[in-house]
Amino acid sequence: MTNCVSKSKFKEEVFSYVFLILGSALFAVGDVMFVNPYLMAPGGTYGISNVLNTVWPWKISLYAICMDVPLLLIGTWILGPKFGFKTILSTALIFGATFVLETLWGYNPVIFDGKIVDAPIEGISMVQIPHDGGWFIPDYFLNTVVAGLIYGVAIGMIFRSGATSGGSDIISMILHKYTKISLGTLVMIVDGIITLSTLVAFGDIRLPIYSVIIIFIEGKVIDLVVDGMKSYKTMFIVTEELEAVRDYILNDLKRGGTCLTGTGLYQGNERKMIYVTLDRADMVKLKSNLHRIDPKAFVNIMDSSEILGFGFKALPKE
């Protein structure tokens, strides 16, 4: 039994490093081939690096590593050893993959409308490839969607491996420690400032708007990669027909739940309430049958981003 557990744990660890390597490489592809040629900066140290790379030509990877290493050291000093080996490895892998890709590929776009030419075409909106001298006719929307998908899959795989993003998020963590502003708010503020830097640097209002769209798509895809496609709903049901509802959940849906006892605010009567978490399909079945079982039932339905425990996703082992 112990041997099986150790093999399973070893297999999980191997897969986590595969995710980490692939995610880091894919992040470099998204940044060098899709984000940088369009002069966008969707947050993070690599967003800042994209802007600096265009204004003062130097490799994106070198700008980023010059920020990431001090941030990791400062973050460890102020926040303690929160950044594990995988986060440090991810930082190194992204740096290496980005350096190799920008050296071999340059900053040429993958998605664009027309050929790369030596000079802008009169009367047509064009973008100059960062310090490579070429110009191309951009396809902003398609490139933005693809960049968001690539970023989302890449960062989702890094998160699945057990690493964290580090980078500019460390700034948000430090500010959170001293300001007590929520971490989510601070992340949005820091990334928002980085995104707005494209407007200051290049004077084009489209760039921060498209960068924000990348961040939005990226966030949705990260959730899919980390949590999967399953969508769960949590239902609180106050009913006078407790036994009938309980019987339907246990016998028809083959699910469990919890019965809670509470007191009504209006009349002060003791009421029974069922707490149950279901996937979307079972939630629809239960909601439809509640009208038949108890038309006067009170139901509160909430989205549940992650469910851990028996019958759902296994609890983490560590």
Side-chain angles (χ1 to χ4, degrees):
M1 181 68 177
T2 304
N3 190 38
C4 290
V5 172
S6 62
K7 283 184 178 179
S8 176
K9 190 172 182 180
F10 175 76
K11 188 176 179 181
E12 287 180 11
E13 196 67 12
V14 169
F15 273 112
S16 74
Y17 279 100
V18 170
F19 279 139
L20 183 58
I21 294 168
L22 292 178
S24 299
L26 196 56
F27 181 90
V29 169
D31 192 69
V32 175
M33 295 182 172
F34 295 89
V35 172
N36 180 271
Y38 278 73
L39 311 181
M40 290 187 284
T45 53
Y46 278 82
I48 302 173
S49 300
N50 286 329
V51 176
L52 295 175
N53 163 264
T54 307
V55 178
W56 297 293
W58 200 33
K59 288 188 182 297
I60 303 167
S61 55
L62 297 178
Y63 274 123
I65 202 67
C66 286
M67 289 182 275
D68 283 338
V69 171
L71 282 172
L72 282 169
L73 293 174
I74 293 169
T76 302
W77 175 50
I78 295 176
L79 303 172
K82 289 187 176 182
F83 313 106
F85 171 73
K86 286 182 180 177
T87 296
I88 297 170
L89 179 60
S90 174
T91 300
L93 287 172
I94 292 174
F95 162 75
T98 304
F99 182 88
V100 169
L101 198 58
E102 61 188 338
T103 300
L104 299 178
W105 176 268
Y107 303 102
N108 301 308
V110 174
I111 295 175
F112 61 100
D113 183 12
K115 296 180 179 180
I116 296 176
V117 295
D118 294 330
I121 300 173
E122 187 175 352
I124 298 178
S125 176
M126 301 189 74
V127 174
Q128 186 173 19
I129 299 171
H131 64 80
D132 274 14
W135 294 78
F136 67 92
I137 302 171
D139 187 342
Y140 278 107
F141 184 74
L142 179 58
N143 184 80
T144 298
V145 171
V146 174
L149 292 173
I150 292 174
Y151 262 20
V153 172
I155 297 174
M157 291 175 77
I158 291 171
F159 285 172
R160 282 286 296 269
S161 75
T164 58
S165 55
S168 63
D169 288 352
I170 298 173
I171 299 173
S172 303
M173 293 177 191
I174 294 171
L175 291 174
H176 173 67
K177 179 176 179 179
Y178 293 106
T179 64
K180 302 306 178 184
I181 299 172
S182 75
L183 188 58
T185 300
L186 288 169
V187 168
M188 286 192 293
I189 291 172
V190 172
D191 282 346
I193 292 171
I194 294 170
T195 298
L196 287 173
S197 68
T198 57
L199 177 61
V200 176
F202 309 120
D204 190 339
I205 188 64
R206 291 174 300 179
L207 299 180
I209 292 173
Y210 280 116
S211 295
V212 168
I213 294 173
I214 288 178
I215 293 171
F216 177 79
I217 296 172
E218 172 193 328
K220 295 298 182 183
V221 176
I222 288 172
D223 288 342
L224 288 176
V225 174
V226 174
D227 298 326
M229 294 292 291
K230 277 270 188 180
S231 177
Y232 294 107
K233 301 287 184 178
T234 295
M235 302 179 69
F236 290 92
I237 306 165
V238 180
T239 175
E240 298 291 342
E241 302 295 335
L242 183 75
E243 289 303 318
V245 175
R246 174 182 176 276
D247 181 70
Y248 182 81
I249 293 171
L250 292 175
N251 299 318
D252 291 75
L253 299 181
K254 308 298 183 184
R255 305 300 302 186
T258 302
C259 182
L260 306 173
T261 302
T263 304
L265 288 180
Y266 184 64
Q267 295 180 329
N269 295 331
E270 186 179 278
R271 306 292 298 272
K272 298 289 186 180
M273 180 170 64
I274 294 174
Y275 162 75
V276 61
T277 298
L278 306 166
D279 61 32
R280 189 184 297 275
D282 284 342
M283 180 274 295
V284 172
K285 292 177 185 176
L286 177 55
K287 190 168 65 170
S288 299
N289 278 276
L290 274 173
H291 181 75
R292 173 181 58 81
I293 298 170
D294 183 6
K296 296 181 179 179
F298 177 83
V299 185
N300 183 17
I301 304 174
M302 298 181 293
D303 289 322
S304 299
S305 60
E306 186 174 21
I307 307 297
L308 304 176
F310 181 73
F312 296 93
K313 186 178 176 182
L315 288 165
K317 296 179 181 178
E318 295 180 358

